[in-house]
Amino acid sequence: MKKLLATSICALPALMAMADEKKAPNVILLVADDLGYGDLSCYGADRVLTPNVDNLAAQGVRFTNAHAVAATSTPSRYSLLTGEYAWRRNGTDIARGDAGMIIRPECYTLADMFKSEGYTTAAVGKWHLGLGDKGAEQDWNAPLPMALGDIGFDYSYIMAATADRVPCVFIENGRVANYDPSAPIEVSYMTNFDGEPTGKDNPELLYNLKPSPNHGHDQSIVNGISRIGYMKGGGKALWKDENIADSIAAKAVAFIEKNRKNPFFMYLCTNDVHVPRFPHERFRGKNPMGLRGEAIMQFDWTVGQILKALKRLKLTDNTLIILTSDNGPVLDDGYMDRAVELVGSHTPAGPFRGGKYSAFEGGTAVPFIVCWPGHTPKGKVSDALVSHIDDFVSLGSLLGATLPKGTAPDSRNFLATWLGQEDTSRPFVVEQAADHTLSIFDGEWKYITPSNGSKVAWLTGIETGYLPAPQLYNLKTDNGERKNQAEAYPDEVRRLQGLLNKVKEKD
Ligand code: NG6
Ligand code: CA
């Protein structure tokens, strides 16, 4: 589209009008945390309603066969922002809150691409890809020497990792937001600080949520909830879990407002519905599934806040929204929030087996909605096979961007499919489970590589899908992955093994 402007001067007015009409839109990549395929009412949930997400789906394309790159957060997000499979890179597994920056400044990121194309860029919400030059060495009381500004984000307001990991503060443009000089911050994932209570030793201080037995999550206490890791100080900067969604939504809306006159890209990541689930009071008691259901409602509310702001600022038609989740769902992920007890007939992973962490589809089959009014067909449901890995090059093609050599090596252009203009499937998707077991799915057959990992993911009760023998499922007839056909169809196993090896050998 940019190229239009470079054509001959005499045609300029007409072309300008055309360029204006076809102007590349603002882009919001909205990523939920641990939200399952079956957690939204437009994907079949009926014990929780998500009217704002449903509305977005009604205006755009809802995909039924979309995949995150990995079944946990850090690798999934790494791939979204770099266009590279996380399993190619060491150090991309679930990051601690004091991890150093995993994506290094020399990497040309999705945010860099938007910035090079004249966009103002932001990351708001959950980050979980490390901060500062080196792990465990950050001084949280000063500007961090390396932060999101170094990888293409003009503005950032983020949680370093997850709400269940210290430090429990927001970081705005590389320094602690609302920093409280009277309460210097110290963080350690090794040892507690003298005299600081922990969930393990002081359960009487856990007035908001208690950890599930044996999961960990019983170290430093912040806001009556114990976490993974130790921290001291923070004072007024410490978050209150019940306000996290409000803070994220407010910063996201402020960014949109500020940039309403120029193109913007926002990577907007909710804390919902990750643990600890402790939504705002206004959602409490509103869902039969308790805190997890209420967290889904809160996620939907966040989506509503964004849609409302766009409408108020008359940006709806010129904003492309991609809504998805980083990985599949989990019920008990470390806190006694009664998610298991209250789930009832709700199926967080929809028809799929397993969930977060799994090699089974429940690990990476995610909700995926693309909406750009006037461009995406209204209410289309697409069964095309798509993967997060393609966001980089597909969005690059939307912008007419030229990418530096070697950028986004695994990403391909499926823009027309993402916009619902055609139904061309990606020829295959590669899925990464928590223990790095890889699977490859070609739209019909799925092959899971052998793994000696545990059959259940920690204490979550989730089936990992790991088996020491090869597994082959026909997802066209058996999307619940019940019948292993590896022995019956050795040729299919060999073909998919070959395809996966080819992908692995690239570079
Ligand atoms: C796991 C945590 C889990 C969650 C997950 C990260 C334990 C036993 N479990 O290690 O609670 O924090 O990491 O989730 O520590 S993710 O969605 O950010 O990948
Ligand atoms: Ca996650």
Side-chain angles (χ1 to χ4, degrees), residues 317-392:
D317 288 350
N318 194 35
T319 303
L320 164 62
I321 301 180
I322 299 167
L323 182 149
T324 190
S325 176
D326 65 344
N327 52 252
V330 53
L331 295 177
D332 182 357
D333 207 17
Y335 291 92
M336 294 170 67
D337 57 13
R338 308 195 65 216
V340 174
E341 294 87 328
L342 299 175
V343 71
S345 58
H346 179 73
T347 49
F352 301 114
R353 188 166 178 184
K356 179 174 178 176
Y357 310 114
S358 299
F360 285 139
E361 289 298 279
T364 54
V366 285
F368 191 75
I369 296 167
V370 179
C371 179
W372 181 17
H375 299 263
T376 44
K378 277 188 181 186
K380 173 166 176 163
V381 177
S382 172
D383 298 331
L385 180 64
V386 292
S387 164
H388 283 177
I389 197 71
D390 295 325
D391 68 335
F392 207 127

Side-chain angles (χ1 to χ4, degrees), residues 34 73 126 128 162 164-165 215 217 274 333 356-357:
D34 299 358
S73 201
K126 169 165 170 168
H128 212 184
T162 48
D164 60 350
R165 285 176 174 75
H215 276 250
H217 304 84
H274 198 279
D333 207 17
K356 179 174 178 176
Y357 310 114

Side-chain angles (χ1 to χ4, degrees), residues 101-170:
M101 288 259 285
I102 293 173
I103 303 175
R104 306 304 290 183
E106 58 273 19
C107 176
Y108 190 82
T109 66
L110 185 66
D112 284 317
M113 177 183 79
F114 276 99
K115 206 169 146 77
S116 310
E117 296 303 314
Y119 280 61
T120 304
T121 56
V124 177
K126 169 165 170 168
W127 178 239
H128 212 184
L129 286 164
L131 280 170
D133 185 19
K134 285 208 183 83
E137 285 183 16
Q138 299 92 342
D139 176 359
W140 300 95
N141 304 289
L144 292 158
M146 198 185 281
L148 279 68
D150 298 300
I151 55 169
F153 290 102
D154 296 309
Y155 173 73
S156 59
Y157 178 81
I158 52 154
M159 306 162 74
T162 48
D164 60 350
R165 285 176 174 75
V166 300
C168 299
V169 290
F170 279 99

Side-chain angles (χ1 to χ4, degrees), residues 37 54 56 58 94 107 153 185 199 266 282 297 356 384 408 438 459 467 474 486:
Y37 185 92
D54 297 2
L56 191 72
I94 302 177
C107 176
F153 290 102
I185 298 172
M266 177 161 51
R282 64 184 180 278
M297 292 173 69
K356 179 174 178 176
L438 296 183
L459 299 160
L467 205 71
N474 188 319

